[in-house]
Amino acid sequence: MRQQINIEPKGLHIDPIAILEDSGHRPTSQRCTLARLLQTRHEGFTAEEVCKALPEIGRATIYRTIKLFLSAGVLCKLALPDGAPKYALSRPDHHHHTVCVKCGTISEFRDGTVERVLRALGSEIPGQIVSHRMELYLICQACLDGTKN
Amino acid sequence: MRQQINIEPKGLHIDPIAILEDSGHRPTSQRCTLARLLQTRHEGFTAEEVCKALPEIGRATIYRTIKLFLSAGVLCKLALPDGAPKYALSRPDHHHHTVCVKCGTISEFRDGTVERVLRALGSEIPGQIVSHRMELYLICQACLDGTKN
DNA sequence: CTCATTGCAAATGGTTTGCATTGGG
DNA sequence: CCCAATGCAAACCATTTGCAATGAG
């Protein structure tokens, strides 16, 4: 558990709107509303969940804004075991995600060992590695403890 | 916490139809045709590609058969960087995949170090790890060499 | 005034489903 | 015969797009 990030370190905090403005986009009310929601949702969310949570914003806008945040690096896109897309706030440092297959909660971890291994693999595998995807699926402690539902 | 590692005493070759019959399904001509195709396609394929390659078989049957093979463990499902699903023949030993982002070719690799790291992570992360997903995206040697298109 | 942004509704693309038909055991 | 398996087309569902309306600078 030592490397698991459960609290939000102030220094790592991301301001989605500031980043948006930096890349030449307007901080519209819809985008701000969405950004505010993102920051409360450490457990991640699907596009559909956002649509339900913010019915006053059009579907198209929500999808467009998620894309915008993705390309700005504010969000990262990850995949459930069945491949369904889910989104979570990005941290500035590189990390990977764990997804609870029972309650869906997303956490993140970073481990230098993983990074080292990935780098080492780069020299063993022909071709030029451009990126990777890695997600751990687990049953989280809360679900194991039965402290949820 | 436990990684699922198949230790298969037999060779590396899988017989999709035999496995199918073992699980109580019929070796129909469509399924055999599909299975034959799979075994020539080490670079993986999308459902749509199979439909094009086998126009004489109905879409529904192809999708149903892929699902069948997935649940029988004959195929594994992996994801392109954008999350689009792609399928590849399963090997009995545990492995991971590389996907060329240029030509789409899928290869596999197996690295004890990766497995060790994953196991080690299991003890550091709260909760019970049930599975994981890991794909390396790269530009394959052939594409780097310009020997393709 | 202009142009980025939005909302709606229609279009899309991949996958699934209902149902009548087929065919192997 | 029987029932699993198939094919077709319609349904489905998440996501995208066309376009006219809006609104911030």
Side-chain angles (χ1 to χ4, degrees):
Chain A
M1 120 131 59
R2 67 187 141 127
Q3 311 240 12
Q4 179 106 358
I5 303 174
N6 291 324
I7 345 153
E8 189 172 341
K10 278 182 187 171
L12 294 180
H13 201 279
I14 275 185
D15 181 351
I17 294 305
I19 294 178
L20 216 54
E21 295 197 62
D22 283 350
S23 53
H25 295 281
R26 291 185 186 167
T28 65
S29 78
Q30 289 91 335
R31 288 171 181 171
C32 291
T33 303
L34 199 35
R36 230 172 293 123
L37 180 69
L38 304 192
Q39 289 173 309
T40 68
R41 279 264 192 156
H42 279 217
E43 73 279 13
F45 52 84
T46 64
E48 210 46 41
E49 284 166 1
V50 179
C51 290
K52 277 199 197 94
L54 302 174
E56 72 273 21
I57 302 181
R59 277 192 134 52
T61 300
I62 287 176
Y63 278 96
R64 282 188 279 236
T65 306
I66 287 178
K67 266 194 174 173
L68 209 57
F69 282 150
L70 276 179
S71 62
V74 171
L75 286 180
C76 46
K77 182 178 187 175
L78 51 104
L80 300 182
D82 67 355
K86 203 165 180 182
Y87 304 92
L89 250 199
S90 254
R91 300 288 160 200
D93 52 337
H94 192 77
H95 58 269
H96 295 100
H97 292 91
T98 63
V99 183
C100 176
V101 295
K102 219 180 150 204
C103 68
T105 292
I106 292 175
S107 299
E108 29 186 52
F109 69 94
R110 70 189 289 261
D111 189 322
T113 313
V114 176
E115 303 302 329
R116 257 195 318 283
V117 168
L118 285 172
R119 259 194 302 281
L121 280 175
S123 57
E124 293 175 18
I125 291 177
Q128 176 187 340
I129 293 182
V130 294
S131 69
H132 64 270
R133 174 199 293 275
M134 177 171 167
E135 278 120 41
L136 294 187
Y137 303 109
L138 46 72
I139 299 172
C140 73
Q141 202 55 52
C143 283
L144 285 175
D145 294 344
T147 58
K148 288 197 178 179
N149 49 45
Chain B
M1 72 175 81
R2 189 187 66 89
Q3 293 300 325
Q4 181 171 346
I5 300 179
N6 292 332
I7 302 163
E8 192 82 23
K10 306 162 193 167
L12 290 181
H13 264 11
I14 277 186
D15 181 350
I17 295 305
I19 294 178
L20 214 56
E21 295 197 62
D22 282 350
S23 53
H25 295 282
R26 290 185 187 169
T28 66
S29 78
Q30 288 91 336
R31 287 171 181 170
C32 290
T33 303
L34 200 35
R36 232 172 293 123
L37 181 70
L38 304 192
Q39 288 174 310
T40 69
R41 281 262 191 157
H42 278 218
E43 73 280 12
F45 52 83
T46 63
E48 210 48 38
E49 285 166 0
V50 179
C51 290
K52 278 199 197 95
L54 302 174
E56 71 274 20
I57 302 181
R59 278 193 134 50
T61 301
I62 287 176
Y63 278 96
R64 281 188 279 235
T65 306
I66 287 177
K67 265 193 174 170
L68 209 55
F69 282 149
L70 276 179
S71 63
V74 171
L75 286 179
C76 47
K77 183 179 187 175
L78 50 104
L80 299 182
D82 67 353
K86 203 165 179 182
Y87 304 91
L89 251 200
S90 256
R91 298 288 158 199
D93 53 335
H94 192 78
H95 58 269
H96 296 99
H97 292 91
T98 63
V99 184
C100 176
V101 294
K102 220 179 149 206
C103 68
T105 292
I106 292 175
S107 299
E108 29 186 52
F109 69 94
R110 165 163 213 278
D111 189 323
T113 314
V114 176
E115 304 303 329
R116 261 198 314 284
V117 168
L118 286 171
R119 261 193 301 279
L121 280 175
S123 59
E124 293 177 15
I125 291 177
Q128 176 184 343
I129 294 182
V130 294
S131 69
H132 64 270
R133 174 197 294 273
M134 176 171 168
E135 278 119 41
L136 293 187
Y137 302 110
L138 46 72
I139 299 173
C140 72
Q141 201 55 52
C143 283
L144 285 176
D145 294 345
T147 59
K148 289 196 180 180
N149 51 40

